[in-house]
Amino acid sequence: MFFTYLRRELRRRRKAALVVASGLALGIALVIVVSSVSSGMEKAQGKVLQSLYGLGTDMTVTKAAAAQTDTSERPRFNFDANDGDAEQSSDRVMVQGFQTLASSTVTKVDSQAGVADSVGGLSLQVIKVNGQFRQGQFQQDEGATAAPGGGGGGGAGGNGGGTGQPQGRVEGGGAEFDVNNYSVYGTDVTKPDLGPLTSSKITSGRTFTTSETDSKVVVVDSSYAKEKKLALNGTVTIKSVKYKVIGIATPESGDAAANLYIPLKQAQTLSDSKDKVTTIYVKASDSQQIDSVKSTIQKNISGTTVTTSADLASTVSGSLSTASDLASNVGKWLSIAVLVAAFLVAGLLTSSAVSRRVREFGTLKALGWKSGRVTRQVVGEAIVNGLVGGALGIALGLAGAFVVTEISPTLQAEVGSSGGGAAAGPGGGGPGGGGGFGAAREAASSTLDVALSAPVSVNTIVVAVGLAVAGGLIAGAFGGWRASRLRPADALRRVE
């Protein structure tokens, strides 16, 4: 009887039921889209951090670079100008970004409570100057030869005076040199699952083996390989040392951490930094205890700066940050406002419908229906409207999320290091290069392009269903309260 009457009433009032369901559907769809976009923002931000940190890294340990006061520390290049027109070249390999830490610090970090694994790396910048000096050519002035002992040269102190040498000038000559800089990162090949190289995928060749701790091999970033026309099994020369190209790495998101990757020991040898590292990448044993692990490391290893993913995330700016703020703040409150409005409208419409059904409910009460039964009937109709609205809202929300994912708008994220955090990519002061002849900058920045998606989780669908039921209950509560107050006499007075 309950379901038969319910079906007949909903069919008879299709327009009113559709209005209530549509209002709830819009609110629920907005919640799904905003939640999905927020999840996409978190995923995009994770890609940005992964491109800088490397997969699996929860924090980095560094030591801020000291202020440079001694100009003698600036890179110097020595050339012999007497080599004629021969081409000359000189490389300067410098540690960049941070002060070096002793390799033993990696062991200390690894022994701290809450640390699952850690690995050290050495960030270098190579400045290469190559070119040649050109000798000038003496050009004699026509008819300008001074007589011996004559005054054509302006006396004993004059040019060519009394020498009998032809007068003229030197033309041409000078120097032409090209300056090129690129980044090199020394990676610990014994722990390939941690560090910045893990954010790239080997698309050609192979990565390092654990036995190549001091081998002259190199993995090249794909963009740099294309720019310099480097091929697999070719060679790269760094400071007169030739390295064999064993692999080409393509970043899975953002920019590469460095142009070239070589074994850590080789990087230490090139830069005269034996047993030194610039960055320690740390993986926590429990992602919920990252803050406590950070505090432990800072307390037990003085002079270091520990930067977590959350710290670096706070430095992300650009359109990604703006969109994230809109999704998390404006979007959240807009969703709440629309939902509240939808619930109120559904409740008022249901209550208004009950007012128009006074004769119906009064007659039913006169026929023996209890107030509770009338109330349950009204609540049942409202819940069905809510479920229909929920189904429509889920469909609209999924469609909206699908459109966002298909369009996949590109957002920019500008990331700067936070107090000596993870280094930025190419063009910044981190392992990616840049910096010119000056000391590598501590406060680095890198602009990355990230495609936005809107993944819909099962939890979001569950929340949507819950909101649909809640909307129906709220609307039913309005209508049921109104229906419970009706008296049979009111209906009989309105019967014609």
Side-chain angles (χ1 to χ4, degrees):
M1 178 66 180
F2 174 80
F3 292 103
T4 301
Y5 191 80
L6 180 66
R7 184 177 66 256
R8 289 177 179 176
E9 289 301 314
L10 290 175
R11 183 181 300 172
R12 191 160 62 95
R13 294 179 175 81
R14 287 192 297 268
K15 291 183 179 179
L18 185 60
V19 170
V20 174
S22 299
L24 292 173
L26 289 176
I28 292 170
L30 184 59
V31 170
I32 292 176
V33 172
V34 170
S35 298
S36 301
V37 171
S38 296
S39 298
M41 296 297 175
E42 293 179 1
K43 186 176 180 180
Q45 194 175 68
K47 288 183 178 179
V48 172
L49 300 183
Q50 179 184 321
S51 69
L52 301 178
Y53 270 148
L55 185 66
T57 303
D58 294 315
M59 65 192 77
T60 58
V61 180
T62 56
K63 187 175 183 180
Q68 181 176 332
T69 57
D70 186 0
T71 57
S72 64
E73 294 180 2
R74 295 177 181 176
R76 296 177 179 274
F77 300 88
N78 299 316
F79 298 100
D80 188 356
N82 295 321
D83 283 348
D85 293 339
E87 184 172 339
Q88 302 184 59
S89 177
S90 179
D91 289 357
R92 178 64 185 263
V93 180
M94 302 182 300
V95 174
Q96 73 164 351
F98 311 101
Q99 290 191 59
T100 56
L101 297 165
S103 296
S104 58
T105 309
V106 180
T107 305
K108 292 181 182 178
V109 170
D110 205 44
S111 64
Q112 302 302 308
V115 175
D117 199 5
S118 62
V119 65
L122 185 63
S123 175
L124 304 177
Q125 183 181 35
V126 180
I127 302 178
K128 182 180 182 65
V129 179
N130 65 294
Q132 64 185 104
F133 294 100
R134 295 191 305 274
Q135 292 183 344
Q137 300 295 325
F138 179 79
Q139 299 293 330
Q140 180 179 346
D141 293 338
E142 294 183 3
T145 303
N159 292 332
T163 64
Q165 297 295 326
Q167 294 187 4
R169 61 187 180 275
V170 176
E171 292 185 351
E176 182 179 350
F177 284 84
D178 179 54
V179 179
N180 178 37
N181 58 19
Y182 56 93
S183 59
V184 177
Y185 195 83
T187 181
D188 189 341
V189 300
T190 63
K191 295 184 177 181
D193 297 329
L194 197 59
L197 185 55
T198 59
S199 65
S200 296
K201 181 180 180 181
I202 302 298
T203 52
S204 179
R206 62 176 179 85
T207 188
F208 302 105
T209 63
T210 55
S211 62
E212 294 175 323
T213 56
D214 200 18
S215 300
K216 293 180 176 59
V217 290
V218 60
V219 173
V220 185
D221 171 59
S222 56
S223 298
Y224 188 75
K226 183 178 180 181
E227 177 187 351
K228 300 300 181 180
K229 296 181 173 56
L230 300 176
L232 196 64
N233 296 321
T235 59
V236 175
T237 302
I238 307 174
K239 203 175 181 180
S240 301
V241 179
K242 289 188 177 181
Y243 292 85
K244 181 182 178 181
V245 178
I246 61 170
I248 306 295
T250 302
E252 294 189 335
S253 62
D255 293 331
N259 300 132
L260 304 175
Y261 301 89
I262 61 176
L264 178 58
K265 286 187 177 181
Q266 282 293 316
Q268 292 169 338
T269 301
L270 286 175
S271 59
D272 295 324
S273 304
K274 185 178 180 181
D275 296 328
K276 299 291 185 180
V277 297
T278 52
T279 308
I280 302 173
Y281 297 85
V282 181
K283 181 179 181 180
S285 54
D286 185 355
S287 60
Q288 303 300 319
Q289 302 297 323
I290 290 178
D291 289 338
S292 63
V293 175
K294 173 183 176 179
S295 300
T296 300
I297 295 174
Q298 288 180 325
K299 178 182 177 181
N300 297 334
I301 305 176
S302 61
T304 59
T305 300
V306 182
T307 307
T308 66
S309 299
D311 295 331
L312 192 60
S314 65
T315 70
V316 176
S317 59
S319 58
L320 174 60
S321 177
T322 302
S324 180
D325 291 340
L326 288 173
S328 60
N329 296 323
V330 179
K332 178 179 66 177
W333 291 111
L334 179 62
S335 300
I336 292 174
V338 171
L339 275 176
V340 170
F343 287 171
L344 288 176
V345 169
L348 291 175
L349 288 176
T350 303
S351 179
S352 176
V354 170
S355 299
R356 293 192 298 271
R357 297 168 66 184
V358 171
R359 287 184 297 173
E360 175 189 341
F361 291 136
T363 302
L364 291 175
K365 282 191 172 185
L367 293 175
W369 279 40
K370 302 294 183 182
S371 295
R373 186 175 179 181
V374 173
T375 301
R376 287 193 298 273
Q377 194 68 43
V378 173
V379 172
E381 294 175 11
I383 290 178
V384 172
N385 288 336
L387 292 176
V388 172
L392 291 175
I394 291 173
L396 289 174
L398 291 175
F402 176 78
V403 169
V404 172
T405 302
E406 283 297 306
I407 296 176
S408 190
T410 299
L411 300 178
Q412 284 190 337
E414 184 174 336
V415 185
S417 66
S418 177
F437 286 101
R441 296 167 292 176
E442 176 184 354
S445 65
S446 177
T447 300
L448 309 176
D449 291 332
V450 185
L452 177 65
S453 61
V456 181
S457 65
V458 176
N459 290 337
T460 302
I461 301 298
V462 172
V463 170
V465 174
L467 290 174
V469 174
L473 289 174
I474 292 174
F478 274 93
W481 172 78
R482 186 66 181 272
S484 66
R485 299 183 62 192
L486 295 177
R487 293 178 299 173
D490 294 330
L492 295 176
R493 280 197 294 269
R494 299 190 187 189
V495 174
E496 297 179 357

